[in-house]
Each structure stands twice: as structure tokens, then as C-alpha cells.
Amino acid sequence: MSRRRFLSWSAAGVGVGLGLNACGSSPSATSSDSSGTTGSQEFAGQQLRVFIYSGSTEKFFRDSFVPAFQAKTGATVIPDPGWWDSIPKLKASPPGQPAFDLVLTDATQGYPAIREGLFQTIDMDRIPNKEKFTPSVLDNWVYREGYGITFPGSGMVLAYNDDLIDFTPTDWGDLMRDEVTGKLGMYNSFYMSLYTFACMKVAWEGRPGTAAREMTDNLSEVLEFAKVQRDRVQYWWPTSTDMVLNLDRSNSAIGNMHSNGMITAMRESPKLKSIVPKEDIAFVQTMWVIPADTPQKALAEEAIDFLLSEEMQRAAAENGAPTPILSVAQEVAARDEAWTQVYPATAEEIQKIQYYPYDAYFQDWDSIVATWDRQVLRKG
């Protein structure tokens, strides 16, 4: 896979660790909702300002969501793409004039922002499409307290170059094998890789499936394990593009990776493969939340419900995102083998969707960051 060929698709997939990560096809801009009924146009003339992630999420939003939702409601959608700037912009907004009416964020920013009062509760009766989601993705305090609709972003997969290892990986314990010492590629962000170390630790100790509990009960031990085992890592990758290029060029043999970053890579280069170990599954927790003082609350709720519809979930899944709707997952899996390799597509698999252990991280966030930066990424 040439660098030019790889970068041609990765440019559309920037930010695969966050959000919907979908691009390409767009549904026809009709005035029908997911159940086939005609939109009421009750929001005609209104505007909805939406913060979304740049890159693939922005493309999905502009190509698929905006035309369909505008036709359905009569409202005008104004996407505002960015990365980590939604919260600062909201804090800088005048009272009653928030920068956005609807915000896509993740747990690392969303949790503290909700606790600071930046977002309001949602009228869940106005979000009937939430009933189509598997309950596991909504089983968290953000949803239970009514602040947002949570859903899975990218998942953690074990990626490898099949030409560089003489075994077929089956679980995270394989990263502890002597023959791959010094050949690992791991994400430089701790929210993923510290959890990967926890998965390695419990597998090595004969307790696979307990990584999340290990993070909660024995965080200091996981950090110490990461410090000791850091020399197994050859490359701390900053983006999915970098990891795929390193795997393809044989600079790294195996490691962790974002699921949606591997789908196209596996199609382009047969030697690049990935698995999702059955134990200790983890996804990025993304969420739709509504700013506290927006005057467009009802319109924002309408938008969330439409984003949860089968129509929008199908458009996202067909272009590389997971979906917590079983029927949509089965439909996409039936015609996309690469998608099936990295995302749950059966009732049993979807029920096992779980997020990274964010609550454990927030117990001692500053200490984790200091240890990770000074003693894991760097040999302190």
C-alpha cells in the first residue's frame, strides 16, 4: 500500500477514534422519517447549530444527515466542525446565546462539562428511537440522569501484520509473548493504551475478562505494570494513519488500534489483519448532549432522535462506524466482511458492548496523566 494511496482514504477518516466516523453515501433528501411518515415541518425557518468532529464525522453529517433532516423538518442545520473546542466556545458564550444548540462529545470532555452545568437534561419521551439501541450502550449515568444519549464510537482491536508474526493472535495476552517484545505499536493516549495494559495484565495472570474491574480496584497496579512492560512497545502511535503505515512498512508487528481505522486498511493490504478478543471489549463513549440555555431544545431533541433512526445508523455503519441497532448491524455484516471483523453483529455480541473505564480514569485523572506522560511514554 503506497503512502499516497493510503493517505487518499485516511484524509477522509481523520479522527477515527471519535464520533461516527462515517463518510460517503447519503440518503435521499426526502421528507420521510425512519418509519416512513412525512415530516411535520413544524420547525420550518428555525436554525440548529451543531458541533461535530472534523473529518469523517463532518462528511457524514453534511452528506447524510443535513439534507435528510432539513427536508424532514424544514429547519436549517449549521454544522460547526472542530476537535476539542466545543467546551471552551460554550463557556465563552453570552448567557442565553450558546455557541451550539447540539453537541457531539465524548466522555473525557462530556463528563466534566455535564457536572459543570453546561448541558441540560433531555426529554427522553421525545427520543423514541433510543428504544432501538441495545440497552448496554445506554447503561451509564449520563443517560440515566437524562443528560445525553450515549453510543459507541471506535472499538479497540488487536491489529497485526501477518507477515511479521508466526502465530495467529487470539487475545490480549498475545502481546506478552517473547517473540513480539519490542515490536508493539500502541496508542500514545492513555484512555486506550492503559486499558490495553490492563487487558494484558489480567490475561497474563489467567483472569481474562476482568480488565475493567482491575482498572477500578487496582489502578496503581495497572500503572506499575504499564511502567514495567513499556519496553515491549516499539512505537507510540499518535494517529491511526501512523499506526497503519508502520504496520504496513513492517516497523511494528502488532498492537492496539481503532476499529474504524483498520477497516479500509485491511481492504487495501491483505497482510494487515485485526481481531476483537472476546474478553475485555472496549469502545469510545460518544454522546449527543444539549447546551443548558439553547432556545432550540425541541429541535435539538428532534435531531438526536433522527440520528438514532435506522436510516442514519445504516448510513453510518455502511461507511465504517459501529451501530447498536441489531437489525442494522446484521444487514451491514451480511455484505461487508471487513466490517464484521471489527464490529459486533449478533445479538450476543451487541449485548456485550462496553466502554472504556472512564469512571476509573476520573477517580485520579491528574495522577494518571502525570505517570503516563513521565514514566510510561518516557522511561522515567
Side-chain angles (χ1 to χ4, degrees):
M1 177 166 49
S2 68
R3 180 177 177 83
R4 176 177 295 179
R5 186 179 184 190
F6 177 78
L7 292 179
S8 70
W9 69 259
S10 65
V14 174
V16 293
L18 298 169
L20 293 170
N21 192 58
C23 59
S25 65
S26 57
S28 59
T30 66
S31 60
S32 296
D33 62 20
S34 58
S35 60
T37 58
T38 302
S40 66
Q41 299 286 303
E42 64 177 293
F43 299 103
Q46 297 185 32
Q47 289 187 344
L48 183 73
R49 297 159 300 169
V50 187
F51 179 86
I52 51 175
Y53 292 123
S54 298
S56 57
T57 301
E58 178 185 358
K59 183 167 178 58
F60 161 80
F61 209 76
R62 293 185 188 278
D63 290 353
S64 298
F65 174 78
V66 171
F69 187 70
Q70 289 185 159
K72 178 178 184 292
T73 62
T76 298
V77 179
I78 303 175
D80 193 334
W83 290 112
W84 310 111
D85 47 333
S86 63
I87 305 304
K89 286 181 178 179
L90 281 176
K91 290 182 175 180
S93 299
Q97 301 177 49
F100 318 107
D101 305 303
L102 179 62
V103 170
L104 174 63
T105 189
D106 76 315
T108 61
Q109 283 198 303
Y111 280 17
I114 290 172
R115 294 310 191 198
E116 289 179 37
L118 293 182
F119 299 109
Q120 63 181 293
T121 56
I122 296 171
D123 181 356
M124 293 299 177
D125 290 337
R126 291 183 52 84
I127 318 293
N129 278 325
K130 70 182 184 301
E131 304 300 331
K132 298 176 182 178
F133 276 22
T134 186
S136 63
V137 305
L138 299 173
D139 186 18
N140 59 83
W141 70 268
V142 173
Y143 174 75
R144 287 193 297 270
E145 295 182 21
Y147 284 104
I149 296 292
T150 54
F151 60 97
S154 68
M156 185 174 75
V157 302
L158 196 164
Y160 60 99
N161 182 326
D162 199 36
D163 290 348
L164 300 181
I165 58 177
D166 58 5
F167 65 94
T168 300
T170 58
D171 58 47
W172 295 107
D174 286 323
L175 299 186
M176 295 292 293
R177 296 172 71 124
D178 290 341
E179 59 263 48
V180 298
T181 297
K183 299 179 181 180
L184 271 58
M186 293 184 69
Y187 192 21
N188 63 12
S189 178
F190 81 82
Y191 85 82
M192 173 191 275
S193 289
L194 185 58
Y195 184 70
T196 303
F197 277 120
C199 296
M200 294 163 60
K201 180 178 185 292
V202 297
W204 183 53
E205 295 172 349
R207 300 182 293 113
T210 63
R213 187 164 71 248
E214 190 74 2
M215 289 293 298
T216 300
D217 297 344
N218 300 303
L219 179 58
S220 62
E221 293 184 17
V222 176
L223 284 167
E224 189 62 31
F225 181 86
K227 287 157 56 177
V228 172
Q229 301 299 333
R230 67 167 309 281
D231 289 339
R232 293 180 177 275
V233 181
Q234 179 270 336
Y235 178 60
W236 296 100
W237 53 271
T239 69
S240 294
T241 299
D242 290 287
M243 178 56 170
V244 171
L245 287 174
N246 269 267
L247 284 173
D248 190 68
R249 294 173 175 177
S250 303
N251 295 327
S252 297
I254 190 171
N256 62 10
M257 181 61 174
H258 295 304
S259 56
N260 38 21
M262 282 302 294
I263 293 179
T264 302
M266 290 188 294
R267 291 171 178 152
E268 294 281 355
S269 182
K271 67 183 179 182
L272 300 187
K273 298 183 179 181
S274 67
I275 65 164
V276 180
K278 295 181 179 180
E279 306 289 351
D280 299 309
I281 292 170
F283 284 84
V284 170
Q285 185 187 73
T286 45
M287 62 188 77
W288 289 109
V289 287
I290 301 177
D293 53 355
T294 174
Q296 300 289 15
K297 182 174 186 287
L299 181 56
E301 291 167 340
E302 188 79 7
I304 292 175
D305 189 57
F306 191 55
L307 285 159
L308 271 56
S309 69
E310 292 184 12
E311 177 183 350
M312 290 295 102
Q313 290 293 303
R314 184 179 300 108
E318 287 176 345
N319 292 280
T323 177
I325 299 180
L326 176 59
S327 60
V328 175
Q330 291 174 327
E331 180 183 336
V332 176
R335 57 177 181 267
D336 191 335
E337 182 179 354
W339 191 93
T340 308
Q341 290 180 40
V342 298
Y343 290 130
T346 67
E348 181 181 4
E349 291 171 344
I350 285 186
Q351 289 170 3
K352 290 183 178 179
I353 290 177
Q354 63 182 26
Y355 302 116
Y356 289 100
Y358 296 104
D359 289 329
Y361 297 152
F362 280 107
Q363 289 179 13
D364 200 4
W365 184 277
D366 292 340
S367 178
I368 295 173
V369 171
T371 301
W372 184 259
D373 290 346
R374 299 171 188 171
Q375 300 182 58
V376 179
L377 293 185
R378 300 167 185 82
K379 193 169 184 177

